[in-house]
Amino acid sequence: MPHTIEKQRHIIDFTLASLLRRRGKNGALFTVYTLIVFILASVMFFTYALKEEAAQVLKGAPEIVVQRSLQGRYAPIPLEYAAKIRGIRGVMAVRPRLWGYYYDSVFLANYTIMTAESIPLPPGSIAIGHGISRMRRAYEGDTISFTGVDGKARNFTIAKILPQESQLLSADLILMNEDEYREFSGLPPGLASDLTLKVRNPKELTTIAEKIVKALPDSRPIIRNEILRTYDALFSWRGGLLIIIMSAAVLAFVIFAWDKASGLSAEEKKEIGILKAVGWETSDILFMKFWEGMTVSLTSFLAGTILAYGHIFFTSAALFAPVLKGWSVLYPVFRLTPFINPGQIATLFFLTVVPYTVTTIIPSWRAATIDPDSVLRS
Amino acid sequence: MIKVTQISKVYNAGRPNEFTAVREVSLTVNLGEVTVLKGPSGSGKTTLLGMLGCMVRPTSGRISLSHREITSLPERFLTQIRRETFGFIFQQFNLIKGLTALENVMAPAYPTGEKFATLRSRALETLALFNLAHKAAAKVEWLSGGEAQRVAIARALINNPAIIIADEPTAHLDTKLSHEFMAIIRQLKDDGKTILIASHDPIVYDSELMTSRIELRDGSVVTAGSLP
């Protein structure tokens, strides 16, 4: 056994010395390879971390949200629906929510407006998200103007900028008092945007949703898991989209790697001939090529993965954020919590390292099985 | 002892470019001898050397090494015999560019799995035998022709083979270096090595070191015998 280990050490030593001899060629290969792994790993890390982030945030979301549907579209819900729903067995609490969207035609951005419940706001004051503050350069104590439903501008004093930790959801958020919100948005008293429900037993969510629809046929209950599923699909779709776009780059790499790996140069063939002539077995040559492929692909894989980790979790995905986060004018500035799925890392490994290593061995097999006397005739 | 019985080597058999490099050669090489294969270019010297050194399989005939028939052995065993019994000195030196002289010398011993430190010190000692210790860390492409050949000889000796095979070793050397090469051969002969040299250089085949000579022409042996 020590003999075999020592032999493999010699072969690895020789392989490393061989790789260093062709610095330019192997350096270019390493760079391109690393770049590909970096892109794929970045997309994977980012979409997975976003999905996890969304899941974490939605943990605190209501178990059921009830909306009203009119002509198949969303419509404000009458407050008396709350009383009816409260009467359903298993429902602990029903709370109406007021929220809507506001389009800022100057900055071409959409904001979300909600009524403040946990933050006490003096009349005429609002709280805004970091994104809006950044874009409009408006800070605590400043006055900011928005146009209401009647076309008239209203001035609000900024009482608070929402904390940055909740950027993913609050970057574009405006919080205001209920009365001011109704007056600003034109939502009549007696109506709410939707109702949120607390349910005693999570296993009964579906049953309760069915009962709500039965009692109020124009209502549309949305269970939290459905929102999670939607987020999951959305981010997977965006990640997939980016990978499709990048697939051209991946394909170019495959061609490059195949060309590099399959086309042994005359010099490499001669070297294999020399090694065989001086006593290397075919298996030794194949081991050498195996270690060569492993060295290039494994170092590129590790470098690409580490760079992608830094890119996503330290620079907040500076390169891909516009595509992956959303098509909004207001990009939230936030640092993702590192969530890594070992399954994804393994998939990336098997999709990059294994094929490359195999493609370097196959052509060497052909070269390694030729008679060593080719050296005598060179 | 190497005993060759009726060996032939046909390249591209059955094709329009079929070519017989060696035809029905029989000979015996005794251990401790210095044998020269003499003949013009294309006479089959290199092919015969290749077959004697287990690099090329004969198309027909048998070769036995120390009374062991080796022609029919599988590739793995032939490689092992080649590594343990033969040391090769090639016409073009065939050193691996980009590697140091030391790494080139050590290369044939890598598959043996010998401890690195032991192997390294043995390789350095071998280089020192040829006054090349100071060039151990030099890349082989920086060496002069004479130095490169001495590195090639050191590489041939690293596994301490019983038989040294040299193919046109002086083809790329000037007269002075050719004489230096023959001095090394003398040293190897004194060490008890069996030496087989293919050459059409008179410095080699007329050397008093030669104990037997085999003359080839068109793949066949013209004359063979011991030298006085």
Side-chain angles (χ1 to χ4, degrees):
Chain A
M1 186 56 103
H3 161 90
T4 314
I5 294 169
E6 199 66 31
K7 178 173 162 175
Q8 292 303 324
R9 275 188 56 194
H10 290 330
I11 295 175
I12 292 170
D13 270 352
F14 186 86
T15 307
L16 293 178
S18 282
L19 283 171
L20 287 173
R21 279 180 300 153
R22 301 184 186 98
R23 277 195 190 87
K25 191 178 174 186
N26 289 314
L29 183 67
F30 172 78
T31 309
V32 178
Y33 203 148
T34 303
L35 190 69
I36 294 294
V37 175
F38 166 76
I39 291 168
L40 294 176
S42 288
V43 174
M44 267 175 29
F45 286 161
F46 195 70
T47 46
Y48 188 72
L50 268 186
K51 280 193 271 185
E52 283 296 309
E53 191 90 14
Q56 295 287 325
V57 170
L58 287 172
K59 255 186 191 167
E63 287 154 328
I64 300 182
V65 172
V66 182
Q67 293 181 343
R68 187 174 160 232
S69 171
L70 188 67
Q71 299 181 91
R73 297 172 71 91
Y74 162 82
I77 192 162
L79 287 174
E80 59 260 30
Y81 279 29
K84 282 188 184 172
I85 292 170
R86 212 171 279 126
I88 295 171
R89 193 186 291 269
V91 176
M92 279 170 73
V94 181
R95 199 167 54 81
R97 282 197 312 193
L98 300 181
W99 60 273
Y101 298 117
Y102 175 84
Y103 178 66
D104 186 337
S105 56
V106 179
F107 289 88
L108 309 176
N110 261 317
Y111 307 148
T112 304
I113 309 181
M114 285 189 89
T115 52
E117 280 161 13
S118 52
I119 304 167
L121 292 169
S125 297
I126 55 169
I128 60 169
H130 231 273
I132 303 174
S133 164
R134 207 164 10 102
M135 194 172 68
R136 303 231 357 192
R137 293 184 185 174
Y139 307 98
E140 260 184 53
D142 291 355
T143 302
I144 193 165
S145 174
F146 296 115
T147 310
V149 69
D150 52 6
K152 288 179 188 158
R154 286 163 178 76
N155 289 330
F156 297 97
T157 306
I158 300 170
K160 191 179 166 64
I161 307 289
L162 296 169
Q164 219 161 343
E165 294 84 70
S166 57
Q167 276 268 336
L168 186 61
L169 296 181
S170 71
D172 67 343
L173 194 63
I174 299 170
L175 294 179
M176 59 174 69
N177 289 320
E178 184 179 337
D179 296 343
E180 281 165 353
Y181 177 75
R182 285 191 187 277
E183 199 269 330
F184 179 77
S185 65
L187 186 72
L191 288 177
S193 305
D194 54 27
L195 304 172
T196 61
L197 271 62
K198 256 193 175 173
V199 174
R200 192 167 289 124
N201 183 0
K203 287 181 183 163
E204 288 182 354
L205 287 174
T206 321
T207 318
I208 289 169
E210 281 167 9
K211 283 181 180 172
I212 293 170
V213 175
K214 212 169 179 184
L216 304 161
D218 60 344
S219 66
R220 180 174 169 253
I222 303 162
I223 298 169
R224 184 170 59 191
N225 284 349
E226 287 174 359
I227 305 174
L228 271 174
R229 261 208 311 276
T230 311
Y231 269 103
D232 209 54
L234 175 73
F235 290 125
S236 297
W237 179 76
R238 283 185 186 161
L241 187 76
L242 199 71
I243 286 177
I244 288 169
I245 296 166
M246 296 297 179
S247 60
V250 175
L251 193 67
F253 169 72
V254 169
I255 295 166
F256 173 68
W258 178 260
D259 179 55
K260 195 270 163 195
S262 59
L264 281 179
S265 67
E267 195 188 336
E268 283 172 295
K269 279 184 190 158
K270 190 184 169 191
E271 275 175 26
I272 290 175
I274 294 171
L275 291 172
K276 284 205 79 177
V278 299
W280 283 46
E281 286 174 23
T282 304
S283 61
D284 299 331
I285 305 283
L286 293 177
F287 268 124
M288 180 182 81
K289 285 291 162 188
F290 167 76
W291 289 122
E292 191 180 304
M294 277 298 275
T295 308
V296 171
S297 54
L298 204 57
T299 47
S300 306
F301 173 78
L302 289 175
T305 310
I306 290 166
L307 282 175
Y309 187 92
H311 169 229
I312 299 303
F313 301 119
F314 294 120
T315 73
S316 297
L319 297 174
F320 303 148
V323 181
L324 289 169
K325 280 186 195 166
W327 288 274
S328 171
V329 175
L330 283 176
Y331 296 123
V333 176
F334 66 101
R335 193 169 271 192
L336 281 166
T337 316
F339 288 108
I340 288 185
N341 182 353
Q344 283 186 322
I345 301 276
T347 308
L348 188 65
F349 179 85
F350 282 106
L351 285 178
T352 52
V353 175
V354 176
Y356 182 80
T357 308
V358 171
T359 53
T360 48
I361 289 180
I362 292 168
S364 308
W365 177 275
R366 273 178 289 166
T369 48
I370 56 167
D371 271 342
D373 75 314
S374 57
V375 177
L376 287 172
R377 318 202 152 271
S378 61
Chain B
M1 185 177 73
I2 306 173
K3 192 168 182 225
V4 170
T5 314
Q6 293 285 304
I7 57 165
S8 298
K9 179 68 188 176
V10 181
Y11 286 103
N12 307 319
R15 291 191 208 154
N17 58 345
E18 183 178 300
F19 166 69
T20 305
V22 171
R23 61 182 82 226
E24 295 174 356
V25 168
S26 297
L27 54 89
T28 303
V29 177
N30 293 313
L31 294 185
E33 280 194 349
V34 181
T35 306
V36 64
L37 300 179
K38 188 189 164 196
S41 288
S43 58
K45 302 189 295 294
T46 299
T47 307
L48 185 55
L49 272 189
M51 288 192 286
L52 292 171
C54 302
M55 269 202 228
V56 190
R57 275 181 196 280
T59 312
S60 61
R62 279 180 296 138
I63 302 170
S64 58
L65 177 68
S66 303
H67 307 292
R68 181 189 180 197
E69 210 279 310
I70 57 169
T71 334
S72 54
L73 287 178
E75 174 63 29
R76 257 189 82 209
F77 294 98
L78 280 182
T79 308
Q80 193 183 350
I81 291 171
R82 195 159 66 231
R83 184 170 62 230
E84 291 171 358
T85 313
F86 297 97
F88 294 91
I89 302 165
F90 304 101
Q91 184 177 350
Q92 311 271 3
F93 312 144
N94 279 334
L95 297 172
I96 299 175
K97 283 183 192 158
L99 296 186
T100 64
L102 183 67
E103 286 166 338
N104 265 282
V105 172
M106 287 162 72
Y110 283 163
T112 63
E114 187 178 348
K115 268 188 100 56
F116 185 81
T118 322
L119 172 59
R120 189 172 185 278
S121 66
R122 201 153 51 79
L124 282 169
E125 280 168 23
T126 314
L127 279 170
L129 279 178
F130 301 105
N131 299 321
L132 282 170
H134 63 293
K135 296 279 185 183
K139 295 238 184 325
V140 288
E141 55 269 33
W142 301 343
L143 303 176
S144 68
E147 287 171 338
Q149 192 185 48
R150 281 183 283 150
V151 170
I153 298 169
R155 182 179 65 182
L157 295 175
I158 191 66
N159 286 334
N160 194 24
I163 304 164
I164 304 289
I165 289 182
D167 183 27
E168 300 283 3
T170 56
H172 296 287
L173 301 181
D174 60 22
T175 308
K176 182 173 170 282
L177 288 174
S178 297
H179 283 295
E180 279 179 17
F181 172 76
M182 291 313 293
I184 293 170
I185 294 296
R186 179 186 300 277
Q187 199 181 319
L188 296 175
K189 183 187 178 189
D190 293 345
D191 291 345
K193 303 281 185 200
T194 305
I195 300 163
L196 275 160
I197 307 178
S199 180
H200 55 258
D201 179 356
I203 294 177
V204 177
Y205 64 71
D206 285 341
S207 163
E208 86 282 0
L209 290 172
M210 300 301 147
T211 53
S212 63
R213 182 189 293 161
I214 299 161
E215 196 168 343
L216 292 163
R217 185 169 283 275
D218 300 328
S220 300
V221 174
V222 182
T223 56
S226 298
L227 293 169

